[in-house]
Every structure is written in C-alpha cells, then in structure tokens.
Amino acid sequence: MLDKRGFSMHNACMSHAQRVQTSRDVCFVRAYAKINLTLDVLGRRADGYHELATVMQTVDLYDTLCLTAIDDNQVQVICTSPALSNDENLAGRAAQLVRQRLAITQGVRIELYKRIPMAAGLGGGSSDAAAVLLALQQWWQLPFTPADLLDMAASLGSDVPFFLTGGLALCEGRGERVSPLPAYWPLPMRWLLLLKPSIGISTAAVFRSLSASDYTDGRYSQLVCGALSARSELQSENLHNGLERSVLNSYPEVARAREDLLAAGASLVRLSGSGPTLFAPFSELAKAVEVQRRLQAQGYEVYLSRAVSPNGDVNLF
Ligand code: C5P
C-alpha cells in the first residue's frame, strides 16, 4: 500500500552526479534507465504510432558510454553486448545524426558498457542515444539549441526526448512531448526491484496486439501527475499500464514472473513500458533485498534500484 508519509528528497540530491564528464581527449557519459509509473494508450494514430500519456522516471541503473575522437571520418560503436556493436545501435545513429547536421568530418568511437537489459521496457537504447547527443553537445561545444536537440532526439525514437532531461516527466504524443514534473518521489516507493524475465519483447509487436479495450483517455497519467504535484498518496489502481494486459496474455514468462514477485513478498507489481521488465516498489531496503534474494535463488535477473534525477533538481525544492 502506498501511504502518505511525506516525501523523499533523494531526487533533489543528485547535483553531484554529473552525467557528462569531459576532458580534451575523452568524454564519459551515463545513460540511465527509466520506468513507467503510468502508461495510458489513448488510441492509434493515422501514422501508425499510438497516442500516449505516460509518467516516466529515471532510475539509477545505467549504461556508461566513453567517447573518443578517431582519425577516420566515421562512427564506431564497440559494445560489451556484441549484438549491439553495429551500425544500427541507436547511440551510433545519434552520433551520426549530429555529424550530418553540422557536416562534421571528425570521427568518433563510442565504447558502450551495457548494464541496462536490452528490449526490456527500460529505455536503454533510447537513453544511450540521448546521452550521446548531450555528450557531443557539451564535449565539442556544439551550437544546438534545446529545440534542435529535441528534434534530433524525436527523430531517433519516441522515448529519446525524455532522456535529454530524465527525472520525472509526463510524456505525451508518441512520447516525444515531454513536460518535466517537479522532482518528487513517494517515500513508500524509495526502493525499486526491477525484474527482467529472460525474454526480449518488441515494442512494435506489443502495440500491434492492443485492442480498443486497452485504450484509456489519459486519466491515470493525469491523476498520478496531480497526486505527485500535490505530494499526496498515490493510489495503486492509478498506476495503470495499458500495455500490461496484452503482455501478460501473450507472454506467459512475464505472467509467471509477476506471480513469483508477488509470492516473494512484493505488494505491488507493474510492467515497465512494453516490458518484459516488471517493477515493484518497497519502503524498506531490508525487505527489498530479501525479496530480491528469493527471486535470484529462483534464477531471476533482479536489480535493486531507486529513482534518480540525472541533471540535478536542487533548485526545485
Ligand atoms: O519510436 P520508437 O522507434 O521507439 O517506437 C518503436 C515502435 O513502437 C514503433 O515503430 C511503433 O510500432 C511502436 N510505437 C507506437 N506508439 C508509440 C511509440 C511506439 O505504436 N507512441
């Protein structure tokens, strides 16, 4: 149960967590994962995308990218997951887009230390792409305006604009219209377990499988935004994800993992994005660790995490 016991300041204390660290020769950047507190699917659009309202929050599970200049006029991606060491990698595509927009011939190598599981509903690829845009802007002191960055981010993927700011935000349209919300995270949710079932899920396939009964009018996201702004109790029934029914029906591994999380002691379990990752909030570290250990003993991949605001929101308090 999500009770009303004040709020956690930990979102506000991230100013020391510099996301981009540069020197002349090298640039390191962190790319944080996200969870979806809500995800309303309003309907299918003429362009094939779905109109969304979703409340997203970055969490402290992150990939690390290291950018270095190379002599060749190209972008190289070298990833700890060999499947991602190719031209399709969204981080590489982001660097290529920057070079094309400004006709830059300087080449760049991107080393990508992948920790965020892939095709997991945690936004890892999108976050990597946003991290590259931010890193190059800062490292090479590029002249892009915030609107330019948003435009490039949206062309790379629906979730990429959110990761330019991260923290807590309401995302609408395809997901690319981002309204940052004041940093606030309910104390009863201060620890998060992220359980990644051992399958990958195609976001496109999940959206294709929706039926009209999965559509909502955006009310859950509005209600949760209102409650967060008022720092009042979050009702668990409002933490709605319109993709969850379809994913639980189509992927028995995810339905089983959900049951196992509940049986292990989680009181609330929700799908993140199009899954398959499930998240469960906890108010006490000891309980979260106990549940994590039980699930790991069953062979599950489970991360202990918390909400973070990578750009630091100290001024908002
Ligand atoms: O924008 P992105 O490439 O990340 O989206 C992946 C796929 O997910 C899209 O091709 C589309 O099929 C589906 N999608 C959707 N509606 C959205 C976002 C994604 O239908 N708002």
Side-chain angles (χ1 to χ4, degrees):
M1 185 55 205
L2 305 174
D3 63 14
K4 183 181 182 178
R5 286 195 292 139
F7 59 93
S8 163
M9 291 287 284
H10 67 225
N11 265 357
C13 300
M14 288 298 296
S15 57
H16 62 281
Q18 278 288 333
R19 206 195 316 195
V20 183
Q21 291 178 321
T22 60
S23 71
R24 193 174 58 89
D25 298 322
V26 66
C27 173
F28 277 98
V29 60
R30 285 181 179 187
Y32 290 89
K34 59 83 180 164
I35 58 168
N36 301 71
L37 263 188
T38 62
L39 198 163
D40 286 291
V41 183
L42 279 65
R44 193 165 180 277
R45 316 190 322 187
D47 64 5
Y49 282 90
H50 291 75
E51 192 70 13
L52 304 181
T54 176
V55 176
M56 301 210 273
Q57 167 70 52
T58 38
V59 296
D60 74 348
L61 175 63
Y62 59 88
D63 294 337
T64 305
L65 296 91
C66 175
L67 280 57
T68 46
I70 53 173
D71 289 337
D72 301 347
N73 177 7
Q74 58 160 316
V75 175
Q76 287 176 3
V77 180
I78 298 152
C79 182
T80 47
S81 300
L84 290 179
S85 297
N86 59 53
D87 289 351
E88 289 305 297
N89 188 301
L90 216 48
R93 283 174 45 204
Q96 204 52 282
L97 183 60
V98 166
R99 286 171 10 105
Q100 275 162 9
R101 287 265 174 123
L102 297 175
I104 293 170
T105 53
Q106 173 66 61
V108 60
R109 172 179 297 140
I110 301 171
E111 292 175 310
L112 172 53
Y113 174 11
K114 200 80 199 145
R115 296 187 195 82
I116 307 171
M118 290 173 279
L122 295 170
S126 301
S127 188
D128 293 341
V132 166
L133 296 180
L134 292 174
L136 289 177
Q137 167 87 343
Q138 190 168 322
W139 189 34
W140 287 348
Q141 304 196 342
L142 303 178
F144 292 125
T145 63
D148 294 334
L149 288 171
L150 274 177
D151 178 61
M152 287 190 290
S155 78
L156 289 163
S158 306
D159 280 351
V160 182
F162 163 73
F163 287 106
L164 290 175
T165 42
L168 182 66
L170 170 68
C171 302
E172 297 170 287
R174 276 196 294 136
E176 87 289 11
R177 265 189 2 248
V178 181
S179 308
L181 299 170
Y184 166 74
W185 192 252
L187 261 186
M189 301 179 76
R190 64 184 172 273
W191 298 107
L192 298 166
L193 286 186
L194 311 176
L195 184 154
K196 158 69 175 54
S198 57
I199 53 168
I201 290 188
S202 148
T203 303
V206 173
F207 275 106
R208 266 199 309 274
S209 71
L210 294 181
S211 62
S213 62
D214 295 313
Y215 298 161
T216 47
D217 58 3
R219 82 183 64 165
Y220 296 108
S221 299
Q222 294 305 338
L223 285 167
V224 165
C225 279
L228 289 167
S229 306
R231 299 190 168 161
S232 61
E233 193 172 344
L234 288 189
Q235 302 295 332
S236 51
E237 65 269 23
N238 292 336
L239 302 179
H240 169 85
N241 181 340
L243 306 178
E244 194 169 308
R245 181 211 58 83
S246 162
V247 170
L248 292 178
N249 280 349
S250 311
Y251 300 91
E253 299 91 333
V254 185
R256 202 174 314 121
R258 181 178 173 279
E259 292 307 316
D260 287 342
L261 248 168
L262 290 167
S267 49
L268 178 83
V269 178
R270 290 289 182 273
L271 188 73
S272 181
S274 55
T277 301
L278 298 159
F279 69 90
F282 293 86
S283 61
E284 282 168 24
L285 177 62
K287 176 77 176 171
V289 169
E290 181 192 315
V291 173
Q292 180 185 31
R293 292 209 176 118
R294 273 192 203 136
L295 291 161
Q296 284 173 334
Q298 291 174 252
Y300 282 113
E301 181 180 341
V302 193
Y303 302 88
L304 176 59
S305 192
R306 71 179 184 110
V308 290
S309 292
N311 291 332
D313 297 324
V314 264
N315 295 334
L316 293 170
F317 280 85

